[in-house]
Amino acid sequence: MRWRWPALALTSITVISLCLTASQLHRSQLVGREAGTDQDSSSVDELIHLCICGDDSDFRPAVVAIRSAVASARQPERFVFHFITTPDLSVRFARAARLQLPGIHVEVHADEDVQNTIQSRIEFRSSAGRKGLASAFNFAPFYLPLFLSQSSETYSAQTRRLIYFDADIVILGDLADIFDMDMEGKPCAAVPYCHQKMAKYINFNVLKTLPYLGDTEEIDPGSCIANRGLLLIDVKVWSSLKLTESIELWLERYRAADGELWVNGMSQPPWLLAMNGNYMRLNADWNCNSLGRHSMDPTEAAQLRKMGFEEEHLTSLRVETTSWGLVPYVVTCSSTAKLLHYNGAMKPWLLDSDTVQVPVCTMPKSLLEYKFNWVQEVDILGTTYTFVTCSEIWALFLADDLLYSEPANNTAEGAEEMEKLADAKTWANKINADREKRQKDREWREKQLAERRKKLAGGYYIGQTIQAAHDISVRGKVVVRKNCEGVVQGPSLNHPTERLNVLFKERRDKKTRSINVLPFEVKPGEDKDKDD
């Protein structure tokens, strides 16, 4: 059964999502309005072209992204949305858009020749991660003019800029603010992400083995990456710098290299290499990410604790501490973010309704007037943070569950889609299995400890450190000196209620066998196990 949120007490959102026209949507109070700071007054009437690429037959993410963008805009009538997909899905999405996005200007594009050309340049290797990353539509953002020029009613040679964004997002800011910004001659604009460096994606040892290439000499392993979840493209500058051709060149080098030139991704590394820092920086509030991540690694968890989050706060948020960090993810940038990015396996539209441990977000200030099903306040060093589940923020912009185009199960498309869904849901609900395993491990340890603490003859217990109270003899010979340390192994097999089985650290006869002793022959030693 596909994930559905319970009916929300948000009738106004449903009405907004389904009924209002684009010109009415900009008057919605869904988000706070703020004036653009770098807006060019000469471009206020220019169309803003917004592009989404994908071959997923579940259209809900794209619809949510579009609805949120329109609801957050001062001039939504400037927006033209371009959905780039396969020929088969283009027909289905066009139908869905008419029903689910009334009054919003949406164009749907498909070009099988361009799609096949892109796919022919891609080689998948397991180090990249999910096989879905090898889709041509993961690389389509680098070929937007090719798709749009063939079938768009609004795109032309005079179009200055394009905005691309991933489908797994919610927009809470006005995209016109970045579309109209001064790009200072850069080919694109994106948000730098300094929690990850180039060395995380690029194998510089392999890079050094490539034949001399002037464009590789100044690539810094320690430089920050840029996040491609939101990308503003200056069409002419991008074309003049031949960035698409440069990306294709890096794809050729990847295929030709003996080792794996990059890891942790398919389309991001060649773009990072081709761009090599030559981009305009967007503010961090345009990329609040990790809303779909299963866990925080130790470094991220340490940063959260530095903010003052202690175990009691995490428990109230249904977050557990594990050996690899925190489960699930705690998002703190969402209260002021303009873009929420649901990157990660725990996509809101894939979660089961009984999944309790899901990523939690600080409530966006622009959504304070709405009532969420789950709300938790925590006081951190005198500051109150209000948390909601990240998935319920996404659900605000979804009216129903009619947007999934289910392929027939007996087709190749159907089998691939079912495999993709099963894989995603396995990851999304992995935390349940992890939690059950940790619980069983705890119960086993507690049982073992209880057995060890069970009182034996003289009040001793298994595992207790003891010392010989005097010299101990066996068959008339002293084998253990007074004060020699030992460990209680358990009761004597033959006389369990009267004697103890003790393994001493050192026997005079050099044997390593344990000895059965009476309780008065030993005395408690320093208990090295007392903190268990």
Side-chain angles (χ1 to χ4, degrees), residues 57 59 83 85-95 108-112 115 137 405 413:
S57 58
F59 302 137
F83 186 74
T85 187
T86 66
D88 286 343
L89 290 178
S90 66
V91 177
R92 301 181 198 175
F93 186 80
R95 183 170 61 248
V108 184
H109 310 279
D111 191 315
E112 195 166 13
Q115 177 183 334
F137 294 96
S405 182
E413 181 187 5

Side-chain angles (χ1 to χ4, degrees), residues 279-310:
Y279 68 98
M280 188 68 187
R281 274 64 175 167
L282 296 177
N283 290 334
D285 54 7
W286 282 106
N287 181 38
C288 178
N289 60 42
S290 301
L291 276 73
R293 282 183 52 193
H294 152 260
S295 61
M296 304 181 82
D297 63 35
T299 301
E300 293 167 326
Q303 292 174 344
L304 192 67
R305 294 186 188 280
K306 283 183 180 179
M307 294 175 60
F309 283 79
E310 297 180 354

Side-chain angles (χ1 to χ4, degrees), residues 115 117-124 133-139 251 254-255 266:
Q115 177 183 334
T117 298
I118 297 172
Q119 196 67 58
S120 68
R121 300 180 183 277
I122 303 169
E123 177 180 310
F124 175 73
L133 296 177
S135 164
F137 294 96
N138 196 25
F139 293 79
L251 289 172
Y254 177 75
R255 292 198 304 271
M266 286 293 296

Side-chain angles (χ1 to χ4, degrees), residues 415-479:
E416 182 180 352
E417 185 62 31
M418 296 301 291
E419 181 182 357
K420 182 193 303 182
L421 178 63
D423 178 64
K425 292 183 74 169
T426 296
W427 277 99
N429 293 294
K430 182 176 181 294
I431 57 173
N432 293 328
D434 290 342
R435 185 172 63 250
E436 291 175 4
K437 183 178 183 302
R438 290 196 301 274
Q439 179 62 29
K440 289 180 179 179
D441 288 344
R442 279 196 296 268
E443 292 174 355
W444 181 85
R445 288 195 299 270
E446 290 171 359
K447 183 178 179 181
Q448 293 296 309
L449 185 58
E451 285 294 320
R452 291 173 58 184
R453 295 296 190 186
K454 186 177 180 180
K455 297 300 182 182
L456 306 176
Y460 293 97
Y461 56 85
I462 297 173
Q464 184 174 359
T465 301
I466 53 83
Q467 292 179 329
H470 53 71
D471 290 349
I472 298 176
S473 300
V474 175
R475 296 187 179 90
K477 292 183 179 180
V478 175
V479 295

Side-chain angles (χ1 to χ4, degrees), residues 124-168:
F124 175 73
R125 297 184 182 181
S126 59
S127 61
R130 295 179 293 107
K131 194 171 183 179
L133 296 177
S135 164
F137 294 96
N138 196 25
F139 293 79
F142 310 137
Y143 297 84
L144 296 177
L146 281 180
F147 283 100
L148 270 56
S149 61
Q150 300 299 318
S151 56
S152 175
E153 300 174 355
T154 55
Y155 178 85
S156 70
Q158 284 69 48
T159 300
R160 294 187 310 128
R161 295 177 175 179
L162 298 169
I163 293 179
Y164 163 82
F165 51 80
D166 290 342
D168 58 347

Side-chain angles (χ1 to χ4, degrees), residues 323-378:
S323 58
W324 62 84
L326 298 177
V327 176
Y329 206 93
V330 180
V331 180
T332 57
C333 56
S334 47
S335 60
T336 58
K338 296 179 180 179
L339 183 148
L340 304 177
H341 194 177
Y342 288 80
N343 57 308
M346 301 190 75
K347 306 296 188 189
W349 55 95
L350 293 176
L351 298 180
D352 289 327
S353 59
D354 59 351
T355 301
V356 175
Q357 282 187 301
V358 293
V360 293
C361 288
T362 50
M363 185 187 294
K365 293 181 179 179
S366 55
L367 302 178
L368 294 178
E369 64 186 277
Y370 295 100
K371 294 182 180 180
F372 291 82
N373 285 342
W374 182 88
V375 179
Q376 182 65 46
E377 291 186 348
V378 294

